[in-house]
């Protein structure tokens, strides 16, 4: 059985699916690993390092994709410059494991089903204790939260920590973090380590203790509806609740030197947390870093992928923050993949056991069918004919 690591062709993607250390572990298990030439270059892992770990370097991408039993990637399959689709390069009956964005772009799942490829989407790994080591969303979100604070600190025309000097005392910066999931909690921890005063808000009251344990003040808002979805994710709330939330957080946004927004809902546009009116009330020189920029942004002024200055406020909408730290992002993602493959491979063969809750949730296509009802609904919402769905 061949496990293949593809080179990412998306311009802003610097991560790689496996690093040499994880390749060596798989090879020790008697598995054959192919790595596409140059796959690890942008993450600073050379072809020579992969060869030393026991991998075979494959320069012909058609051979690598067309003969792989399991194809490992970071970003979803793309259209190549030569006009070929990466989906069409996969052989029938093979397995692809990657971030596939099946709820945001369900057409990719449709095409994989038509190709009769078994697709395992890393976004669909359940948030359970047993699946923690495979939870790539969390491992990559932690990097995003850390990097967002560093970006904010670099853009802020002030110190973050309190400083006492011969010339006087500098007050610490005030950081307000909106969303206390994995990214938000890492942002809180990083901002606190850099010496700022941190407040945090989340619609899920259950995260209050986690926020406080990191030394931040929790901004609590009581809402008359359920705010936590399956798996612990934030749930989309009603317009009335959104209005109440905005009224309360406005004062905290106004007083902050830095606002970091992290709220995302899988498969949907990011909720609006910071209105243009809120931004207008902030102090000149303040900074907003919107981690949700790829999903439309939590701030009304965000321009995805760009840094803009509006009314004296710098609004930064970074895209794919984990890719900006490709060494550790790849290391963590590779660990997620190898943990997953331990339950996927038995006796050196792929074994898709749908009685296993992890495989059942994450395997979105198999034997020409789309297995997820949520993806089927997303396709129906787009008006796509589901020819591969029985």
């Amino acid at each position: 059985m061949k496990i293949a690591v593809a080179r990412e062709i998306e311009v802003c993607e610097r991560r790689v699916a496996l690093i040499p250390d994880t390749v060596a572990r798989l090879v020790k298990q008697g598995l054959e690993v192919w790595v596409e030439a140059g796959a690890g270059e942008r993450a600073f892992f050379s072809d020579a390092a992969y060869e030393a770990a026991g991998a075979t370097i494959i320069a012909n991408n058609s051979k690598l994709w067309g003969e792989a039993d399991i194809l490992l990637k970071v970003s979803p399959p793309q259209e190549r410059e030569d006009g070929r689709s990466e989906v069409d390069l996969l052989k029938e009956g093979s397995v692809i494991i990657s971030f596939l964005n099946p709820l945001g772009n369900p057409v990719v799942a449709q095409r994989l089903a038509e190709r009769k490829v078994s697709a395992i989407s890393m976004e669909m790994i359940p948030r359970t204790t047993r699946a923690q080591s495979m939870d790539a969303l969390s491992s990559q979100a932690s990097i995003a939260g850390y990097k967002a604070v560093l970006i904010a600190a670099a853009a802020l025309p002030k110190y973050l920590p309190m400083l006492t000097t011969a010339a006087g005392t500098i007050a610490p910066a005030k950081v307000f973090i909106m969303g206390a999931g994995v990214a938000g909690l890492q942002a809180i921890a990083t901002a606190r380590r850099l010496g700022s005063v941190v407040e945090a808000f989340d619609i899920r009251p259950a995260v209050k203790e986690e926020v406080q344990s990191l030394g931040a003040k929790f901004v609590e808002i009581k809402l008359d509806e359920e705010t936590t979805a399956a798996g612990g994710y934030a749930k989309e709330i009603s317009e009335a609740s959104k209005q109440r939330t905005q009224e309360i957080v406005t004062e905290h946004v106004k007083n902050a030197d830095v606002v970091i927004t992290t709220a995302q809902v899988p498969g949907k546009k990011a909720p609006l947390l910071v209105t243009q009116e809120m931004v207008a009330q902030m102090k000149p020189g303040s900074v907003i870093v919107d981690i949700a920029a790829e999903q439309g942004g939590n701030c009304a002024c965000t321009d995805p992928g760009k840094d803009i200055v509006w009314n004296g406020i710098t609004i930064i909408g970074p895209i794919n923050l984990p890719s900006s730290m490709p060494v550790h992002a790849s290391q963590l993602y590779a660990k997620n993949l190898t943990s997953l493959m331990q339950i996927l491979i038995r006796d050196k063969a792929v074994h898709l056991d749908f009685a296993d809750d992890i495989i059942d949730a994450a395997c979105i296509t198999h034997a020409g069918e789309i297995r997820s009802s949520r993806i089927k609904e997303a396709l129906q919402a787009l008006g796509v004919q589901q020819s591969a769905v029985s």
Side-chain angles (χ1 to χ4, degrees):
M1 187 182 68
K2 299 180 182 68
I3 298 171
V5 178
R7 182 174 63 86
E8 304 296 326
I9 60 173
E10 192 172 341
V11 173
C12 64
E13 187 54 74
R14 297 171 60 196
R15 293 171 289 181
V16 62
L18 291 182
I19 65 171
D21 282 352
T22 50
V23 166
R25 293 190 196 114
L26 293 172
V27 170
K28 282 181 182 176
Q29 293 173 24
L31 300 171
E32 185 174 356
V33 181
W34 287 7
V35 176
E36 186 172 351
E41 280 182 357
R42 288 190 286 177
F44 305 101
F45 299 108
S46 67
D47 287 350
Y50 284 108
E51 286 186 303
T56 301
I57 302 300
I58 304 294
N60 185 329
N61 70 319
S62 294
K63 175 182 173 68
L64 180 123
W65 283 74
E67 297 183 23
D69 297 297
I70 299 179
L71 193 288
L72 304 179
K73 277 187 98 284
V74 179
S75 59
Q78 308 285 319
E79 300 297 321
R80 303 183 70 90
E81 288 183 357
D82 59 11
R84 294 179 300 167
S85 165
E86 289 185 327
V87 170
D88 295 334
L89 295 177
L90 290 160
K91 73 176 181 181
E92 288 190 9
S94 63
V95 177
I96 183 172
I97 308 176
S98 181
F99 284 117
L100 295 171
N101 189 23
L103 298 177
N105 185 16
V107 174
V108 171
Q110 170 79 349
R111 293 186 64 186
L112 288 165
E114 291 170 349
R115 188 65 179 163
K116 294 184 173 57
V117 169
S118 296
I120 296 179
S121 174
M122 296 305 288
E123 293 96 333
M124 305 295 276
I125 295 288
R127 279 196 162 173
T128 60
T129 301
R130 179 167 164 260
Q132 276 184 336
S133 64
M134 311 166 204
D135 186 356
L137 278 180
S138 291
S139 74
Q140 304 304 295
S142 177
I143 293 172
Y146 170 81
K147 191 61 179 285
V149 176
L150 301 188
I151 289 170
L156 188 70
K158 300 180 179 181
Y159 280 116
L160 280 186
M162 182 181 78
L163 291 177
T164 302
T165 74
T169 299
I170 304 292
K174 295 178 181 178
V175 176
F176 183 43
I177 294 167
M178 305 181 76
V182 174
L185 291 172
Q186 184 60 251
I188 291 168
T190 305
R192 286 286 298 137
R193 280 196 290 267
L194 291 176
S196 56
V197 174
V198 183
E199 293 183 325
F201 160 75
D202 197 289
I203 60 173
R204 298 164 294 178
V207 302
K208 178 179 180 179
E209 289 185 10
E210 292 179 88
V211 168
Q212 292 175 330
S213 72
L214 293 171
K217 176 185 175 183
F218 184 67
V219 176
E220 195 164 7
I221 301 174
K222 296 191 182 299
L223 301 175
D224 298 325
E225 63 178 286
E226 181 57 54
T227 57
T228 306
Y233 293 99
K235 184 179 179 181
E236 190 168 20
I237 56 177
S238 66
E239 289 303 319
S241 292
K242 288 177 184 176
Q243 182 64 35
R244 173 169 167 73
T245 297
Q246 287 179 2
E247 289 171 359
I248 293 177
V249 302
T250 294
E251 197 64 23
H252 298 274
V253 171
K254 175 184 173 181
N255 293 328
D257 297 297
V258 170
V259 174
I260 295 175
T261 63
T262 71
Q264 300 181 60
V265 179
K268 299 189 182 228
K269 189 178 185 299
L272 179 64
L273 302 181
V274 181
T275 64
Q276 193 173 88
E277 290 74 23
M278 291 183 192
V279 179
Q281 296 180 51
M282 294 179 74
K283 300 183 290 290
S286 299
V287 174
I288 298 172
V289 179
D290 191 344
I291 293 180
E294 260 178 297
Q295 283 190 278
N298 297 140
C299 175
C301 301
T302 297
D303 191 346
K306 296 182 180 179
D307 301 356
I308 65 170
V309 177
W310 187 86
N311 204 35
I313 313 302
T314 300
I315 301 116
I316 301 171
I319 300 294
N320 196 0
L321 273 179
S323 182
S324 68
M325 294 179 58
V327 174
H328 284 148
S330 298
Q331 177 183 326
L332 295 175
Y333 184 64
K335 172 62 176 175
N336 297 143
L337 290 181
T338 51
S339 295
L340 176 60
M341 285 192 287
Q342 299 312 304
I343 65 169
L344 186 66
I345 298 173
R346 295 183 189 174
D347 300 322
K348 300 181 185 178
V350 175
H351 183 69
L352 290 169
D353 180 6
F354 296 120
D356 186 301
D357 64 313
I358 297 172
I359 294 174
D360 184 52
C363 185
I364 60 171
T365 70
H366 178 64
E369 298 182 0
I370 293 177
R371 303 186 64 256
S372 167
S373 60
R374 294 170 70 192
I375 297 171
K376 292 178 185 179
E377 290 166 5
L379 281 167
Q380 288 170 352
L382 291 175
V384 175
Q385 181 66 35
Q386 298 173 53
S387 59
V389 182
S390 64

